[in-house]
Amino acid sequence: MKSNMLYRPLTATPFKHNSDYREIEPCGMLRPYVRCFWGGTHCGPDTETDGHSEIVIPDTCVDIIYRMDDGGNIIASDFIGINDRSFYTQGNEKDGQRISMFAIRFYAWSAYVFSEDSFTGTVNGTYDVRERFDWLDRELRSRLTEPGNLTDWIRLAETLLLKKIETARSKAVVDSVMHDILRYQGRLGIQQLSKEHFISGRQLERLFHEYIGITPKKLSNLVRYQCLWRDLVSQKHFHIMDAVQKYGYTDLSHLMREFERYHSMGIRNALELCAATRSKRR
């Protein structure tokens, strides 16, 4: 999964970094599997951010998320499957309720290494983390209720995940196809992927459903969209017609439609939202 090192998907607000939300890079050995650890602490809907909806775009990742109240009780432990559409979140905590969050964000195609069950049917879904990561939950749950902070929880999670890699399952053909999807930034068609890896399209779809939760075609499109989003955010002199050719879109309209379908807004509005979070970073 070394190809993951060349691919860094972004959220809709990649510069957001405050007490509510912080992203922390994993250690070197986990970087092919874990996009980041993240977490934060906030109090009810009376803060500056709670009570306001925030957009979540398809980032080709899956998340394990724990929420703890001020008494150290776990009030939610969720596994969020890969998304192929944007959605809005809104805090539903009580006024003044202090909530701490700790989460592990895996690349969608790497999470199966640590899972105990299939990902079939998990696209756009939320599930109890114990359904697929019971071994990890048993180790984390008791420690998360003890006094600690984000750094402590990350150190614990890294230790557990590194140990699991030694005996974790793997599926070579899924890893190999994903390498090409990332290498070519989602531009290869399913027929070409099937031919290159000597596997039928139907079998490839079955494997992707089982190990990732989504078809290879949809995942390729999401990877292409994320590569485009990164260019938009990071390139000072972005030329949209160059992007049409670079990522194999039919024409400009095709690029614009696909971006808006995944981002739920046009490019200009998406960049304005991104810039707003950069200016508020503290």
Side-chain angles (χ1 to χ4, degrees):
M1 298 185 181
K2 292 182 179 179
S3 53
N4 287 4
M5 304 295 285
L6 304 176
Y7 174 76
R8 307 294 289 169
L10 301 176
T11 65
T13 53
F15 303 109
K16 182 178 180 180
H17 183 89
N18 53 35
S19 60
D20 291 335
Y21 182 88
R22 288 183 292 153
E23 289 186 5
I24 307 295
E25 292 286 324
C27 66
M29 290 186 65
L30 285 177
R31 287 183 184 177
Y33 307 91
V34 177
R35 170 62 180 87
C36 67
F37 297 98
W38 62 271
T41 301
H42 61 271
C43 297
D46 56 344
T47 65
E48 63 178 287
T49 57
D50 286 309
H52 298 279
S53 60
E54 295 188 10
I55 189 172
V56 177
I57 61 173
D59 62 359
T60 66
C61 294
V62 299
D63 290 79
I64 290 176
I65 306 175
Y66 287 91
R67 294 177 174 85
M68 290 78 68
D69 65 19
D70 202 24
N73 303 301
I74 294 177
I75 58 177
S77 56
D78 298 323
F79 166 69
I80 314 297
I82 186 171
N83 291 298
D84 64 2
R85 59 175 182 256
S86 298
F87 62 94
Y88 286 84
T89 63
Q90 187 166 1
N92 57 2
E93 293 84 13
K94 300 176 182 178
D95 287 347
Q97 183 181 25
R98 179 184 171 92
I99 299 296
S100 296
M101 299 178 65
F102 171 64
I104 307 171
R105 179 168 295 153
F106 296 99
Y107 294 104
W109 47 90
S110 305
Y112 83 84
V113 173
F114 307 99
S115 174
E116 298 169 310
D117 202 355
S118 167
F119 289 104
T120 300
T122 59
V123 63
N124 301 317
T126 300
Y127 308 87
D128 191 308
V129 69
R130 288 167 287 194
E131 293 182 27
R132 291 174 176 81
F133 299 89
D134 186 59
W135 73 272
L136 181 60
D137 180 80
R138 288 197 306 269
E139 299 287 347
L140 284 177
R141 185 170 290 269
S142 61
R143 297 287 295 275
L144 290 175
T145 58
E146 298 174 356
N149 55 37
L150 185 58
T151 301
D152 298 325
W153 300 334
I154 290 174
R155 187 179 299 115
L156 170 62
E158 286 186 329
T159 299
L160 296 172
L161 295 175
L162 286 170
K163 184 176 180 180
K164 184 67 172 178
I165 289 176
E166 299 174 2
T167 58
R169 60 177 179 158
S170 64
K171 193 66 176 179
V173 66
V174 173
D175 295 346
S176 183
V177 172
M178 275 309 311
H179 174 81
D180 278 355
I181 289 176
L182 297 176
R183 177 186 175 191
Y184 292 98
Q185 300 177 309
R187 298 191 305 271
L188 295 184
I190 301 308
Q191 288 186 345
Q192 189 171 355
L193 287 169
S194 299
K195 182 179 179 180
E196 291 290 334
H197 296 274
F198 306 100
I199 185 173
S200 71
R202 180 174 296 181
Q203 187 178 4
L204 185 59
E205 285 203 5
R206 181 185 63 80
L207 289 173
F208 265 58
H209 273 299
E210 179 178 355
Y211 287 89
I212 304 175
I214 197 171
T215 68
K217 180 178 180 179
K218 284 187 177 181
L219 185 52
S220 293
N221 288 339
L222 290 174
V223 166
R224 179 170 66 171
Y225 151 73
Q226 269 290 333
C227 290
L228 171 63
W229 177 228
R230 175 168 284 277
D231 285 354
L232 284 162
V233 171
S234 63
Q235 293 182 7
K236 185 176 181 179
H237 302 290
F238 176 83
H239 299 287
I240 195 164
M241 293 308 299
D242 290 343
V244 171
Q245 182 177 6
K246 177 180 179 180
Y247 293 114
Y249 289 101
T250 305
D251 51 30
L252 178 58
S253 295
H254 181 204
L255 181 152
M256 300 292 282
R257 285 196 310 271
E258 185 160 294
F259 182 88
E260 189 164 353
R261 175 157 64 95
Y262 290 133
H263 216 98
S264 295
M265 64 183 72
I267 288 176
R268 176 177 294 181
N269 289 337
L271 289 175
E272 288 176 353
L273 174 63
C274 181
T277 58
R278 184 199 292 266
S279 63
K280 291 180 180 179
R281 183 169 179 169
R282 60 182 187 275

